[in-house]
Amino acid sequence: METNNPDTIYSSLLAAVDGFKFDQQVVNVFPDMIKRSVPGYTTIISMIGNLAERYAQSNSHCYDLGCSLGAATLAMRHRILASDCTLVGIDNSAAMIDRCRQVIDADSGELEVELICDDLQNVQLQPASVIVLNFTLQFIPVEQRPGILQRLYDTLLPGGVLILSEKVAFDDTPHQDLMIELHHNFKRSNGYSDLEIAQKRSSLENVLIPETLETHRERLKSAGFHSSDVWFQCLNFASLIAIK
Ligand code: GEK
């Protein structure tokens, strides 16, 4: 069901580059866009399945927050062994959730998947053993992030896991510049032109706000997680595991 439409959204010179939105145009090319833009994306998705198998507890909820087309949801669906788990995907883009529903319906997995179209902050979360924020927190205003992480910590059962993947920034300017340059080279080698890279970058300005790994670690600690650290990193894209 997943489409393979190539991402050409920023290939022609645009008179004005609007702020990035998860609309129908993005949905139509999303699998191609995210794989060509996020180094390690496919590895992270498959490892989310692996982690869900390890951490899912019987009679608990597993959440994919900002599920887009359900890549991480499906990875979990196929790996969860614990009985009576409720798997829930949440996204506030109606276009994403509509396509995600088609993707899930076309998938052969047996575990039922509940999809909710809403801001993740509006949803009453149930006691959970696995919570995934795979490149979602970066799109939420910085001042709302501590409250969200506190709520996720409070929602997790003891022994539960939060998987937090983000584009990250570095305090050291030469290193930050190098990571950005290498990420642009990664995108170029995946077929994006300089024009596409520049226009996408300006559309994400003030929409995707990366923070340092130190900030993420500190925030997780303040929320109460007794253990958290990076399990994957490629350039300025990282994923952390935090255990309650
Ligand atoms: C994947 N996790 O393929 N509430 C709910 N959803 C939100 C919110 C919010 N407040 N803000 C943003 N989103 C996916 C990829 S994409 C990352 C996640 C990217 C949703 C938004 O609509 C979009 O679908 C998703 O978060 C971010 O594993 O495109 O770089």
Side-chain angles (χ1 to χ4, degrees):
M1 180 61 230
E2 244 192 28
T3 54
N4 283 321
N5 300 329
D7 170 21
T8 55
I9 294 176
Y10 296 100
S11 57
S12 317
L13 184 62
L14 301 168
V17 179
D18 294 333
F20 190 81
K21 284 197 185 65
F22 291 99
D23 56 14
Q24 193 61 54
Q25 188 189 26
V26 167
V27 166
N28 292 342
V29 300
F30 189 74
D32 181 65
M33 171 186 278
I34 198 153
K35 280 181 209 133
R36 287 163 69 208
S37 305
V38 176
Y41 175 77
T42 307
T43 303
I44 293 171
I45 289 294
S46 129
M47 283 302 294
I48 286 173
N50 190 316
L51 289 163
E53 179 177 320
R54 163 74 176 74
Y55 284 97
Q57 299 176 26
S58 295
N59 298 306
S60 73
H61 281 62
C62 297
Y63 287 103
D64 183 7
L65 305 178
C67 61
S68 298
L69 302 188
T73 311
L74 286 185
M76 291 197 273
R77 185 187 210 185
H78 286 275
R79 294 293 294 269
I80 290 173
L81 300 173
S83 57
D84 298 317
C85 277
T86 304
L87 181 54
V88 185
I90 300 174
D91 204 290
N92 64 353
S93 156
M96 281 290 185
I97 285 287
D98 287 350
R99 177 67 59 82
C100 184
R101 194 161 282 124
Q102 295 171 8
V103 171
I104 301 287
D105 287 348
D107 172 71
S108 60
E110 283 174 11
L111 184 59
E112 210 174 299
V113 177
E114 189 184 327
L115 293 177
I116 299 173
C117 184
D118 204 345
D119 189 308
L120 63 91
Q121 297 186 75
N122 295 337
V123 180
Q124 181 69 48
L125 301 174
Q126 301 301 315
S129 54
V130 181
I131 300 179
V132 172
L133 272 173
N134 201 37
F135 302 107
T136 301
L137 195 68
Q138 59 193 16
F139 290 104
I140 294 179
V142 170
E143 64 278 9
Q144 296 172 19
R145 296 179 190 179
I148 290 173
L149 285 200
Q150 189 59 61
R151 233 183 104 226
L152 298 186
Y153 177 82
D154 295 342
T155 297
L156 276 173
L157 294 161
V161 69
L162 169 68
I163 302 161
L164 173 66
S165 312
E166 290 275 291
K167 183 175 188 180
V168 294
F170 301 88
D171 284 331
D172 181 69
T173 305
H175 190 68
Q176 168 72 5
D177 293 346
L178 176 63
M179 290 302 104
I180 287 175
E181 181 189 330
L182 292 176
H183 178 230
H184 289 174
N185 290 348
F186 167 85
K187 291 185 76 165
R188 222 171 271 120
S189 66
N190 284 336
Y192 283 119
S193 67
D194 289 343
L195 176 67
E196 287 177 293
I197 294 169
Q199 294 192 135
K200 176 78 178 284
R201 189 180 187 186
S202 90
S203 83
L204 286 172
E205 195 100 30
N206 304 320
V207 175
L208 190 172
I209 316 278
E211 297 175 291
T212 63
L213 284 169
E214 200 42 44
T215 299
H216 287 297
R217 284 195 195 96
E218 279 303 313
R219 190 181 285 134
L220 289 164
K221 198 170 167 192
S222 302
F225 287 97
H226 65 80
S227 156
S228 76
D229 215 334
V230 172
W231 67 271
F232 178 90
Q233 186 176 352
C234 184
L235 308 177
N236 44 351
F237 291 80
S239 189
L240 297 99
I241 301 181
I243 313 289
K244 179 160 176 177

